[in-house]
Amino acid sequence: MTNKNVTRRGVLKSGAVASTGLALPTIFTASSAAAYTNEPTGSSVVLGFNVPQTGPYAEEGNDELLAQQLAVEHLNGEGDGGCMNTFSSKVLKGNGILGKKVEFVTGDTQTKSDAARASAKSMIEKDGAIMINGGSSSGVAVAVQGLCQEAGVIFMAGLTHANDTTGKDKKANGFRHFFNAYMSGAALAPVLAAEMGKERRAYHLTADYNWGWTQEESIVASTEAMGWETVNTVKTPLASTDFSSYITPVLNSGADVLVLNHYGGNMVNSLTNAIQFGLLDKVANGKDFKIVVPLYSELMAAGAGENIKGVLGSMNWNWQLQDEGTKAFVKSFGEKYGKPPSNSAQTCYAQTLLYADACERAGTFNPCGVAEALEDFEFDGLGNGPTWYRGADHQCFKDVLVVRGKENPTNEYDTLEIVEITPRAQVEYDPEHPMFAGGELGKCNPGA
């Protein structure tokens, strides 16, 4: 939904400046030079939900948008309250944020960095959005995070798994609840060693952008540390839909494991092609051939159908968890939309509540006050168990799931089984770890 009053308010501010013949040198719609970007002056506050509504990750984006809408309802005191009832912080009362009704505007990232920046910029400049949340691509997340840093608004990242988001490209105005590629490697490696052995030869197909690169780096490092050999790593364009030409060389490579560093529709298509070529029926080096999908989602699993049976991977969260926060969110989402939520939906829902909670605890919408409230915040009750928002890099640390495609699903949503809940301590790392070093968090920018 787009609030016409919000849009009109942004236009009037821009118009007032334009009437003097002066152009805005930066994004600036605050009420005074001493204020901050898009300081709310009326009875409502605007959040910007920037998700892929078209493109290869559109299904994830549409699920994120459903969760974001649900979070707004709960913040405004509508529905059953969801995780506001289980959240360890008790400052959210269902009366909006700091007494202001929550409105929202949406944008389509198209899973393209330029399009995502343009839509976020429009929501900030034209609609008065004071926070941007969403995305299902790390390339998009890094681009939008940079824009929000420049604009002086908070970016609550959605689905972004690349190490870079809270590594070399981290920003003081950006925060990530989702786990990352390093964590996937740390969680997966012990399970892969136990189930497949320590003498394996792996072939990687990798989405050719920053997420794929850091995912490949992380999985290669973790598997080689336990004894695996990496036979080859091949990059594939994000726009690819047919991966047949990439599968054929795998058969003659000497590999006995195929690692698909793909996500969304790309993963569905590459896994389908691999199954069509009969890889899981092959024997190589005296071992049954295996496929690994390091980053899973429920929506990908549903799209891939029977092809995921027995295939291992990792997840940020899964609707089958039994903690109180998960059960509350699954109930609320399921009753409204008739299906369980995906882990991308859960992270966007959690990020929206976490932003609102930080505003309440800080007593302001000023992004620097919000950032201070989020840094080193420890909480529970949103799913995933006890969670820490580390101040050094704005990365959340929590348990990570290792999952497997279910052999005998009982319904269309019963596609994955949880193999292991990897404890938070096993996936933690130093902020200066080589995979994350190279960038500076910098200082919070209030914009105005």
Side-chain angles (χ1 to χ4, degrees):
M1 61 182 280
T2 300
N3 185 311
K4 293 181 180 179
N5 293 328
V6 170
T7 304
R8 183 168 64 250
R9 186 164 65 246
V11 170
L12 285 174
K13 287 171 182 171
S14 299
V17 176
S19 67
T20 67
L22 300 175
L24 289 172
T26 58
I27 297 171
F28 179 71
T29 56
S31 58
S32 73
Y36 48 89
T37 300
N38 291 335
E39 178 186 6
T41 56
S43 60
S44 64
V45 61
V46 184
L47 308 183
F49 296 145
N50 206 25
V51 303
Q53 299 178 52
T54 58
Y57 295 172
E59 193 170 12
E60 302 286 341
N62 290 331
D63 220 43
E64 289 178 343
L65 189 54
L66 295 179
Q68 290 160 333
Q69 293 170 337
L70 186 63
V72 169
E73 288 185 11
H74 292 167
L75 289 172
N76 286 333
E78 303 165 4
D80 63 8
C83 285
M84 283 173 50
N85 299 316
T86 58
F87 191 16
S88 57
S89 178
K90 300 301 180 186
V91 298
L92 297 173
K93 304 300 183 185
N95 62 343
I97 306 175
L98 294 174
K100 296 182 184 292
K101 183 178 181 181
V102 181
E103 303 284 356
F104 67 89
V105 289
T106 68
D108 181 8
T109 70
Q110 304 173 43
T111 318
K112 297 177 181 177
S113 297
D114 289 346
R117 278 182 65 99
S119 59
K121 188 171 186 287
S122 177
M123 287 188 282
I124 295 168
E125 289 185 320
K126 296 181 179 179
D127 301 317
I130 200 165
M131 180 273 274
I132 302 295
N133 167 245
S136 294
S137 154
S138 291
V140 161
V142 167
V144 174
Q145 181 167 258
L147 173 78
C148 289
Q149 181 69 36
E150 298 162 10
V153 301
I154 291 291
F155 176 58
M156 300 295 284
L159 196 165
T160 168
H161 189 241
N163 294 336
D164 294 350
T165 307
T166 47
K168 69 180 183 67
D169 294 311
K170 59 182 175 286
K171 302 294 182 191
N173 284 46
F175 292 83
R176 171 164 61 179
H177 173 266
F178 207 71
F179 74 147
N180 59 45
Y182 174 91
M183 296 175 181
S184 284
L188 272 171
V191 177
L192 295 177
E195 296 208 3
M196 300 181 191
K198 296 183 178 181
E199 296 181 0
R200 283 282 185 168
R201 308 187 74 214
Y203 191 111
H204 289 249
L205 291 181
T206 300
D208 194 12
Y209 72 105
N210 65 339
W211 167 67
W213 307 330
T214 64
Q215 165 108 327
E216 177 187 286
E217 178 187 25
S218 299
I219 302 302
V220 165
S222 62
T223 54
E224 287 186 351
M226 69 184 187
W228 285 23
E229 176 187 349
T230 304
V231 174
N232 202 1
T233 58
V234 177
K235 306 299 186 289
T236 63
L238 183 60
S240 298
T241 56
D242 186 346
F243 294 86
S244 300
S245 62
Y246 295 99
I247 301 298
T248 303
V250 178
L251 297 168
N252 303 313
S253 68
D256 47 50
V257 177
L258 173 62
V259 181
L260 293 176
N261 298 303
H262 290 156
Y263 196 76
N266 286 354
M267 173 271 182
V268 171
N269 291 330
S270 62
L271 179 59
T272 299
N273 289 154
I275 299 300
Q276 289 171 342
F277 276 76
L279 257 63
L280 289 182
D281 298 324
K282 305 290 184 183
V283 174
N285 305 319
K287 304 177 181 68
D288 290 340
F289 201 97
K290 299 292 185 181
I291 298 174
V292 178
V293 176
L295 179 59
Y296 251 130
S297 85
E298 300 88 344
L299 300 174
M300 287 160 49
E306 293 191 354
N307 294 333
I308 65 156
K309 288 185 175 181
V311 176
L312 285 166
S314 68
M315 292 183 75
N316 181 70
W317 173 89
N318 183 274
W319 66 272
Q320 298 173 87
L321 288 169
Q322 292 301 302
D323 62 277
E324 293 306 309
T326 291
K327 289 192 286 187
F329 178 52
V330 170
K331 176 180 180 293
S332 187
F333 190 98
E335 289 180 350
K336 185 171 181 65
Y337 301 118
K339 63 177 184 178
S342 64
N343 70 161
S344 54
Q346 187 262 350
T347 206
C348 283
Y349 176 88
Q351 285 280 70
T352 305
L353 293 194
L354 285 165
Y355 171 79
D357 175 81
C359 291
E360 293 283 354
R361 289 186 292 109
T364 182
F365 291 103
N366 186 310
C368 297
V370 174
E372 185 176 354
L374 283 167
E375 289 179 343
D376 290 317
F377 179 46
E378 296 193 36
F379 60 92
D380 201 347
L382 296 184
N384 304 103
T387 304
W388 173 39
Y389 235 136
R390 185 162 68 182
D393 52 7
H394 296 182
Q395 172 66 55
C396 266
F397 289 90
K398 52 191 181 297
D399 296 346
V400 171
L401 307 182
V402 176
V403 298
R404 184 194 343 259
K406 203 160 188 180
E407 292 286 353
N408 298 296
T410 57
N411 58 62
E412 62 180 308
Y413 304 113
D414 183 34
T415 54
L416 297 169
E417 61 178 340
I418 298 172
V419 176
E420 183 171 301
I421 300 176
T422 306
R424 185 177 101 183
Q426 186 175 316
V427 300
E428 290 180 350
Y429 54 86
D430 188 273
E432 295 306 315
H433 186 284
M435 289 187 188
F436 297 86
E440 294 293 332
L441 190 65
K443 295 182 178 180
C444 173
N445 176 25

